[in-house]
Amino acid sequence: MPEPIYKPTLLERLREQSDALRGQDTAKRRPVEEALSDIDRRLWRSFKWLDEALGHLEVIRPQVAHVFGLGSVLTITSPRYEQGFVSYRRKAYGGLELLEHVEVFYRMTQDKPIVLKVQPGAAVGIEERLRGAHLPYHYQTEQDEARVVRYGIFTVTPAVTASVKFAPDYRRQVIQVTLRNVDRFESVILEFTPEKLDEAALEDLIRFILGEANAFLRRAPLAGLGRRKAPEDSVEIQPVP
């Protein structure tokens, strides 16, 4: 007597179809996951490389060959690298734990404070410019014998705070690098493909930070440019006697 032909149950057929589709989906997802993991690995290598580089710079404290000008208000020329650190943050993305960003912060200073003596009506504009550039300052007034305010006096600490932020766009598989106050009081955004963010690029970044060369800016296209606009009104600054 012939054996009965086995017919899979409905649940078995559904299981077979879902397993096949799941396998296809896994095969499709693997290249995407590998690409995301590659971006994450590159950023993590960048974090460790920059962390060591900043540690060396903090010991050496080199002079930075940049000029930071705030219109007619003040100019900070060739400040000295003082200190810096690098941080990172992770987030869940597509079932993976990936770096959300890596960010470098550092500070450049000069020894002597900058003293600005301005007309009282110009003090508000000067204050806005200094706050916009994140420059620490102390303000006081100078009065005449009749106790009328003749001048406003700003004592500015010439300390420039700068940052470089690496923010991956995992959907587009690019890395945006935002440089703020690196060579002037200005922000610039570059867009790197992951393979372009290698050790040679990081070396160019440090050279750019120190003012030795600007090759880093030519390594990736410009994604955006923001500049702090100077007030339209001119500011009269009197020399301090």
Side-chain angles (χ1 to χ4, degrees), residues 70 73-74 76 107 110-118 123 126-127 130-131 134-142 151-159 237-238 240-241:
L70 203 60
V73 176
L74 58 78
I76 300 173
R107 175 182 165 104
Q110 284 183 334
D111 295 332
K112 296 181 179 180
I114 299 172
V115 180
L116 308 174
K117 191 172 184 179
V118 304
I126 293 289
E127 187 173 17
L130 295 175
R131 287 182 181 274
H134 302 285
L135 288 171
Y137 66 89
H138 172 72
Y139 178 73
Q140 62 185 30
T141 59
E142 180 181 296
Y151 297 105
I153 301 176
F154 291 87
T155 303
V156 183
T157 301
I237 301 176
Q238 301 289 338
V240 178

Side-chain angles (χ1 to χ4, degrees), residues 43-62:
L43 285 173
W44 184 242
R45 285 197 297 266
S46 298
F47 169 82
K48 293 192 291 185
W49 193 97
L50 290 166
D51 186 51
E52 180 178 351
L54 293 184
H56 297 318
L57 291 180
E58 193 161 330
V59 174
I60 301 169
R61 297 190 66 211

Side-chain angles (χ1 to χ4, degrees), residues 8-21:
T9 65
L10 174 62
L11 186 59
E12 289 174 332
R13 291 199 303 271
L14 292 175
R15 184 184 300 122
E16 182 180 356
Q17 293 176 24
S18 67
D19 287 344
L21 291 174

